[in-house]
Structure formats: structure tokens, C-alpha cells
Amino acid sequence: MNLEMIAAGSLETKPEALLNEMRQLRDNPVFGFDRLIDLTAVDRGETFELVYRLNSLLHDRDLLVRAKVSLEQPTIASVSEIWESALFGEREVHDMFGIVFEGHPELEPLLAPEEGFGFFPLRKSYTLPGRSGQTDGGNGR
Amino acid sequence: MEMTSEKQELDGPGAHSRLSGLLGPENVIFTTVEQVLAWAQAHSFWPLTSGLACCALEMMACGAGRYDLARFGYEVFRPSPRHADLLIVAGTLTHKMAPPLLRLYDQMPESKWVIAMGSCAIGGGPFVDSYSVVQGVDRILPVDVYIPGCPPRPEALMHGMLTLKEKVMAAKRRGGKK
Amino acid sequence: MTVKLTHEGVTASGSELYCLNMGPQHPSTHGVLRVVLELDGETVVRAIPVLGYLHRGIEKLAESRTYPQFIPFTDRLDYVSSMCNNLAYCQTVEKLMTVEVPERAEYIRVIMAELNRIASHMLFIGATALDLGGMTGMMYTFRDRERILDLFNLASGSRLTYSYVRIGGVMNDISPEFVNLLRAFLADLPGMLQEYDDLINGNEIFQARLRDVSIVPASRLVSLGVTGPVLRAAGIAYDLRRKKPYGIYDRFQFDIPAGTVGDNWERYLMRVLEISESAKIIAQALEGLPEGPVMAKIPKVIKPPVGEVYHANESPRGELGFHIVSDGSTKPYRLHIRRPTFYNLGSIDALCRGVKIADVAAVLAVLDPCMGEADA
């Protein structure tokens, strides 16, 4: 991880190295990425790809950090101790994809109901039931 | 002077002179409790501040200066369901919001009415095939008036509330329950 | 929902820790937001926001809609500023497809986006006054906002959810009647702002309720991912229209108001000042409005090339971004929306700790949340 990769605007990291590299990205004044603008995930079919969008107010530049986790064991370290915006961002990704963020102080459902959806909506394996197939405990219309 | 069996309009054009005609020289009118109650309730619905999504903004605009619900007696939006008799479901109802909405409805005292405002409340709207949206509020609540639109204009909401007024007045006139 | 209390037993003030629920139906929560408050007497010890009551699954629905079919969904995200959402989404798709939007359409887009910003901020002023107990304030701002909605109605046919900005341009051209009405509105705007100054801003009770309340250091807000007027009130003059100009915003002269203290009063004041700046931009755009088409020549069936793009706008609430992953088909493979209110609401705990319970309504009001956007 060096300034050239930063200048390119996007870098890929291994899940095991994520926490260390993210800490460096924030703390090293040469990099100075003081905010995590957005955190999301994409279901790429064989893996889940986490996308962290960083911004440096200091140097006025952006950086995209990607990390891939497996479908069978979607676990990765939480960056919420580095940037507080990850507290909400990771909860949303957890609700939608089922990715577990180790070290997150409160990985409770945020957008999902208290007991969770019962499925992970944004995974490609989940298909919308369509207009007629929805079950909602109603009068069955 | 007794109320005849033909429909006596207690509002609309010419109501004042009809009312004066009805009253007669003794200033007495014979009617039923249900009809007076209906007249009072229909002319002063107290809606609950139950805006869920975008339609809530048109509801607020309807209560504001230009469209002015106050001239019909409906501007008293109550925050507490205990004081309200009209639940205007304005916006999309999600599975997470359905139990609180049902609890709000249960907390409202009788007589109460429900207006489904906007296509999300009528039948799910543009989100009908979503995994988290209830396909219409009438799946969990009895709806009296449906107001189509996305969002309905404030005039449409007014028309819906006036339709509800007619419904309430007509039911009592027929001797119905509500 | 069981809340784990911060600590059991008697608090520093000698009373018991009390848990109070606010919402999701509440007159001051700006929609279906629920805040669970932990109180020590009247002071807030912790505030836990509970979202999701308006989660409609828009990101999943995007995967089964074509790109133009998704435009009405963007209206319903932040329903108070639909034009800005339309604009952000359409510019993202245009970036993916490298479409060049005609000049006249670019100017019209700026006019519409800034008008929507003024309308959103007027609603904000009225709603803040209403939340603090001054219902009259709401009446004045709603009356004036109606004039903007008349303009939008004339241009697009709708009052609230326009779908006016389309991929490649705008829906249809603006008429001379629109321009005349707009000029009349801009001429009356200083008078309207003066009225709000006299009635609302200048009211000493209003100021006393907002000044020096809920001061949070800027570094904390940056770490929380807060953007928009709340961040600018804390002194960081970051506005995407200046830092990363999109469309033709680099052609206009306008100031970015920024605060020094970062209290509720400055968060409120930012938006009041931004109304004047938006009026300046609209006036400049009207001067420079060229003739020409309002829609680029794009294929009937929108099929962006395979790729991934992110584009962000400065919406009235902060940085609104769209992240689209395209697989070359007519429907997005993945569409993610970076919603400003979502991250702004993450700061409720930081903003509410230590304030009195009466100020919680004020904090929520000056955050200006829009739940349609927070929950998506």
C-alpha cells in the first residue's frame, strides 16, 4: 500500500489485513483518510465484495477499498473503531447480506425488524416473491 | 315539527333556510341521537398525525394555508391516538411498522374511521413487489375511504375527507352502525 | 425491544435511570423514526435511534427495474427534494454511459435542483418552528413553498414526486410562463426571508432554545460520516457543488455558509443562508439559459456498458451518492444509494447526550431527517 496505489483511486485488500491497512489509511498523515463516506457490498456470485469508500478532507482525495469474503463464511473485521460511520454502515450490510463484522459493538438489525427478515434480501440467491406470492399473514388476497 | 321520512339535508346549499324552516316558531327540532351525533362527528374529524411517507407531506400541505382543512373542521391533528378519531394512513406501510400502526388503531376510541391515502396505502403502490411492504393497509385495518394518487393532491385528500363525511352522515341516517 | 441500560441503580443526580420511547408515531420525529431515550431526570444519557420503519427494499427493487423505470423510485427516496435525487441518479447513469447532456437541459437541471433546495429548506424552517411549538411559522413557509410547487407543477405536472430529470436531459422544456413566474418568485423571495427573520429567526425564545445546545466537535461529526449543513455548521465548509462540481455548477458564483460553534442555532442558520445562495444560482442560470434541445440523443433502450460507477450530489441533507454496478443489461446488477440522512441519524447519540429532553425535538428538527431516504 503506497501513494501510487492511493493515487490510482482504488485498491483491493485481503480480509485478514483489512483492519491494519484501514488503520494506517486513517492514521498515517501521508494518507489521511479521515472519513468513511460509504460502506456497501456487492454479491458477485462466488464471493461477496465489500466496498469501502474513503475520503480525505486533508488531501481532498477519494479512495475505494475492496475486500472479498466467501459466501460460506462471510466474516470480516469491523472498522467501526476507526470510523464511527461504520457503526451504521456495517449494520445495514449485515441486515442485507448476512456478512458478520467481528468487533462491531452492537451488530443488531437496523433496517430489518427486531427478529431480522428471516432471509438476506440483497443476496442474489434471494428472489423477490412477486406480486402474488407474498405472504404477510393477511387475509390471503 | 317532526322530521319527515324524506332526506333532510343538514348541510349543503340552502341548509340554513331549511334548518330555519325545520325549526318552526318554537325553535325545536325532532331528530334522533344518531343523526345529531353523525352530524357532529362528520363535521369535526380529528385526524391522527400518522403520516408514514411522502403522502404525509401532501397531508401537511392540506392542513396549511392554501388548502386549509380548517374550513371543514378537520385541522385539529392530534398527536395522541387517544384524542383522535380518524386514522389517515398516508404512505407506505412496511412489515416493521404494521404492529405499531395496529396498536395505534386499537388505542383510538370508538367511533373511528380509516382513510387509505395514496397508492401505497391502497395496495402497496410502486413497492408492491417488495419483500418488506404490506400490500395495502386494508390487509390489517378496515378502510372506509380510499384516495388514489401518488401522492394525491391536497384537493384529493379534501375530497376524500368530504366523501367520508357523507359516508358517516348517510350511515347514521339509514340507522346503520357507523 | 429490550434496551440494555447504560448502568443500573441510582444515577449521579440521585434518581433512577428511565427509559422513554419516542416514536415511530410522534409529531416531532419527521416521519417514522423511533428514538429510545435513556434519561437521568430530564437529561439524556443515551439516545438510540431505531430505523427501518419505512424500509421498502428500494435497492432490491432496482435490480428488477430498468434504468428509466427506477427514476420514480428516486423521487420517493428523499421525497422533500425529489429533483435533487432524480438529478443524482440520472447523472450517475450518464456517467456510466458517457452521455453528454445538452446545455439547455443542464441549465434547467440547475434551476430545478436549486428551487428544490429552497423548497426543502423552507419546509425545514417551518418544521423546526412547528417542532419547537410555533405553528404559525409552518403556515408562512408552507404558503411560500406552495409557489415553488406551482412552478414544479407547471413544468412537470406533479407537486411532489416529479421524475422530471431523465437520463440524457429533462422531461420537457420550460415555458415562458414558467420563467415569468420564477422571476416573480425570486423578486418576492427577499421579502419572504425578511418575514421569517422577523417572525422566527429573530424571536428570542426561538434563539434561546437553539443557541449553545448540542455542541459536538467537528472531528466527531467527520468520523460519524455526517455531511451537509450539519457538518458545515461545525466549521467544515465542504459542499460537493464546490469541491466536486457536477453538471455545470462550476460556472456559478455562490458562497458556502459555514459556522464556527456548531450548535443547533448554526445548524438552523446554515439552511436559511443557503436559500439566498440558491436564489443567486437560479438568477445566474436564468441569465445564461441558452436555446436548444432538452434531451440528448440516447438509445430508446438504455443499456449501459459493463462497469461500475459512483456519483454524488449535494442534496439539501448532505452527500447523496449512487453506486451502480452494471452487467451490460437493461437492469442494474447492483444499485446502492449513499443516503445522507442514514449517516446523519447515526450521530443522534452524539448530538443528544447531555441535552435536556425538550431539546431532543430541537436536535431532530435541525438534523432535518427524511425517513424515506434513511430507510430506503
Side-chain angles (χ1 to χ4, degrees):
Chain A
M1 201 171 67
N2 49 39
L3 268 176
E4 273 128 31
M5 293 169 86
I6 308 286
S10 159
L11 65 91
E12 172 134 9
T13 175
K14 296 237 177 332
E16 309 83 54
L18 183 80
L19 197 54
N20 254 336
E21 293 198 11
M22 292 298 217
R23 218 175 259 131
Q24 279 183 53
L25 282 169
R26 186 196 62 175
D27 294 333
N28 188 337
V30 174
F31 305 137
F33 287 102
D34 36 20
R35 42 184 204 159
L36 174 66
I37 291 279
D38 193 21
L39 158 56
T40 184
V42 184
D43 182 342
R44 293 281 186 192
E46 288 116 31
T47 54
F48 290 132
E49 182 184 275
L50 281 151
V51 180
Y52 298 81
R53 194 169 303 276
L54 305 177
N55 174 265
S56 170
L57 282 174
L58 203 59
H59 302 295
D60 201 11
R61 64 173 161 230
D62 299 310
L63 180 68
L64 203 63
V65 178
R66 295 180 205 272
K68 286 195 161 66
V69 292
S70 69
L71 292 180
E72 300 78 35
Q73 226 199 340
T75 330
I76 197 169
S78 163
V79 298
S80 51
E81 56 179 44
I82 308 176
W83 297 285
E84 281 186 78
S85 52
L87 286 169
F88 261 29
E90 287 175 351
R91 282 172 78 179
E92 184 189 356
V93 172
H94 174 72
D95 278 343
M96 296 293 137
F97 288 91
I99 297 177
V100 176
F101 293 91
E102 284 168 342
H104 191 289
E106 205 186 343
L107 202 60
E108 303 282 315
L110 181 65
L111 297 176
E114 257 175 67
E115 61 280 359
F117 287 121
F119 49 84
F120 297 115
L122 281 175
R123 288 192 182 185
K124 290 293 177 186
S125 52
Y126 176 78
T127 42
L128 285 173
R131 290 168 197 231
S132 53
Q134 182 142 19
T135 53
D136 61 348
N139 54 16
R141 266 201 302 160
Chain B
M1 182 184 167
E2 280 186 36
M3 296 279 278
T4 61
S5 58
E6 60 194 51
K7 242 172 29 166
Q8 296 285 356
E9 294 288 353
L10 286 181
D11 60 353
H16 181 75
S17 53
R18 274 200 300 281
L19 204 56
S20 313
L22 278 177
L23 285 174
E26 293 93 15
N27 266 358
V28 170
I29 186 172
F30 285 89
T31 178
T32 62
V33 170
E34 282 87 4
Q35 281 187 300
V36 171
L37 208 58
W39 179 75
Q41 284 175 330
H43 285 73
S44 68
F45 294 120
W46 281 17
L48 177 68
T49 56
S50 55
L52 301 177
C54 345
C55 285
L57 280 182
E58 293 293 62
M59 193 165 70
M60 286 164 72
C62 197
R66 182 187 279 196
Y67 298 103
D68 194 18
L69 271 182
R71 52 194 158 127
F72 304 109
Y74 303 150
E75 87 284 12
V76 190
F77 279 85
R78 304 305 301 156
S80 166
R82 305 279 186 201
H83 307 167
D85 61 1
L86 175 61
L87 181 67
I88 306 180
V89 184
T92 322
L93 183 65
T94 57
H95 288 303
K96 192 167 181 179
M97 187 63 196
L101 192 72
L102 205 50
R103 199 196 292 184
L104 283 172
Y105 180 75
D106 289 338
Q107 285 178 334
M108 286 165 67
E110 293 284 341
S111 310
K112 54 192 170 185
W113 299 273
V114 176
I115 288 184
M117 178 182 176
S119 44
C120 290
I122 294 176
F127 309 98
V128 68
D129 52 341
S130 168
Y131 51 86
S132 63
V133 166
V134 177
Q135 290 162 329
V137 76
D138 56 5
R139 290 200 175 231
I140 60 170
L141 291 177
V143 175
D144 292 286
V145 173
Y146 297 83
I147 306 177
C150 193
R153 288 186 63 104
E155 293 101 323
L157 174 61
M158 279 198 298
H159 181 73
M161 292 181 88
L162 293 175
T163 309
L164 181 65
K165 178 173 86 171
E166 282 181 42
K167 176 176 180 174
V168 171
M169 300 269 289
K172 299 279 180 160
R173 209 182 290 130
R174 280 196 315 267
K177 268 280 167 185
K178 256 173 97 156
Chain C
M1 169 182 168
T2 40
V3 172
K4 286 197 292 288
L5 293 180
T6 313
H7 54 270
E8 299 289 334
V10 177
T11 65
S13 69
S15 64
E16 197 185 303
L17 212 61
Y18 177 65
C19 208
L20 181 69
N21 180 63
M22 197 173 154
Q25 182 266 340
H26 191 279
S28 302
T29 51
H30 288 255
V32 283
L33 168 65
R34 180 173 165 213
V35 184
V36 181
L37 295 168
E38 238 178 63
L39 297 165
D40 170 16
E42 272 201 27
T43 317
V44 176
V45 170
R46 191 160 68 129
I48 306 159
V50 183
L51 308 184
Y53 289 95
L54 197 55
H55 175 71
R56 301 177 273 199
I58 292 181
E59 291 186 4
K60 184 71 179 183
L61 289 175
E63 293 172 13
S64 50
R65 302 281 191 275
T66 63
Y67 288 89
Q69 279 179 335
F70 188 68
I71 296 175
F73 286 90
T74 59
D75 279 328
R76 286 145 181 86
L77 277 172
D78 175 5
Y79 35 82
V80 183
S81 55
S82 300
M83 289 284 188
C84 303
N85 306 346
N86 286 162
L87 182 62
Y89 171 69
C90 290
Q91 284 183 333
T92 312
V93 180
E94 285 155 11
K95 198 167 168 179
L96 194 54
M97 291 171 65
T98 51
V99 167
E100 203 177 303
V101 176
E103 280 289 294
R104 188 172 171 86
E106 290 277 25
Y107 276 84
I108 294 177
R109 281 177 170 193
V110 168
I111 293 174
M112 295 301 183
E114 293 308 310
L115 263 180
N116 217 162
R117 195 182 307 271
I118 297 179
S120 170
H121 288 337
M122 277 184 175
L123 185 100
F124 160 79
I125 296 173
T128 306
L130 183 65
D131 286 348
L132 295 183
M135 195 174 188
T136 314
M138 182 197 130
M139 294 298 169
Y140 281 76
T141 55
F142 266 68
R143 176 199 64 188
D144 298 330
R145 178 175 166 260
E146 289 290 334
R147 288 180 63 172
I148 302 182
L149 298 190
D150 282 341
L151 282 164
F152 287 146
N153 200 359
L154 199 58
S156 72
S158 290
R159 282 167 47 92
L160 200 68
T161 49
Y162 320 109
S163 299
Y164 180 71
V165 181
R166 303 288 173 90
I167 300 169
V170 293
M171 181 173 131
N172 49 25
D173 205 344
I174 53 177
S175 59
E177 187 190 349
F178 179 93
V179 175
N180 290 338
L181 266 179
L182 179 56
R183 284 195 210 277
F185 172 77
L186 287 177
D188 291 337
L189 187 62
M192 297 173 190
L193 290 174
Q194 185 60 48
E195 217 172 24
Y196 306 153
D197 262 341
D198 295 336
L199 184 67
I200 307 173
N201 311 352
N203 184 312
E204 62 177 282
I205 302 178
F206 187 81
Q207 289 196 13
R209 281 210 59 181
L210 294 178
R211 277 194 196 278
D212 298 324
V213 175
S214 175
I215 298 178
V216 175
S219 55
R220 183 95 199 271
L221 292 176
V222 166
S223 171
L224 281 161
V226 171
T227 50
V230 181
L231 188 65
R232 292 197 278 276
I236 300 182
Y238 191 91
D239 186 321
L240 281 171
R241 294 174 291 170
R242 181 60 48 79
K243 289 284 178 176
K244 293 178 195 163
Y246 46 91
I248 51 168
Y249 271 98
D250 45 359
R251 300 187 202 174
F252 301 112
Q253 308 286 334
F254 58 100
D255 298 319
I256 309 287
T260 46
V261 179
D263 57 1
N264 276 353
W265 169 250
E266 289 198 329
R267 290 176 195 131
Y268 170 82
L269 197 62
M270 291 303 105
R271 295 183 181 97
V272 176
L273 296 172
E274 277 180 20
I275 294 181
S276 320
E277 300 305 319
S278 290
K280 273 191 217 164
I281 300 177
I282 298 175
Q284 291 170 52
L286 274 178
E287 288 310 302
L289 185 64
E291 296 299 323
V294 291
M295 178 58 86
K297 293 233 180 326
I298 50 168
K300 261 207 155 64
V301 177
I302 307 254
K303 257 195 192 178
V306 176
E308 197 173 331
V309 75
Y310 175 82
H311 178 75
N313 275 21
E314 183 75 25
S315 97
R317 278 153 193 82
E319 174 170 342
L320 172 69
F322 281 84
H323 175 199
I324 301 184
V325 177
S326 162
D327 58 355
S329 71
T330 51
K331 303 182 183 168
Y333 182 78
R334 168 88 171 100
L335 192 149
H336 171 70
I337 312 162
R338 193 269 173 202
R339 304 161 331 254
T341 307
F342 181 72
Y343 287 101
N344 288 358
L345 286 177
S347 67
I348 281 183
D349 191 29
L351 290 170
C352 282
R353 285 207 187 195
V355 303
K356 296 281 181 285
I357 186 173
D359 295 322
V360 173
V363 168
L364 286 175
V366 297
L367 262 184
D368 198 12
C370 182
M371 295 320 290
E373 177 180 73
D375 289 338

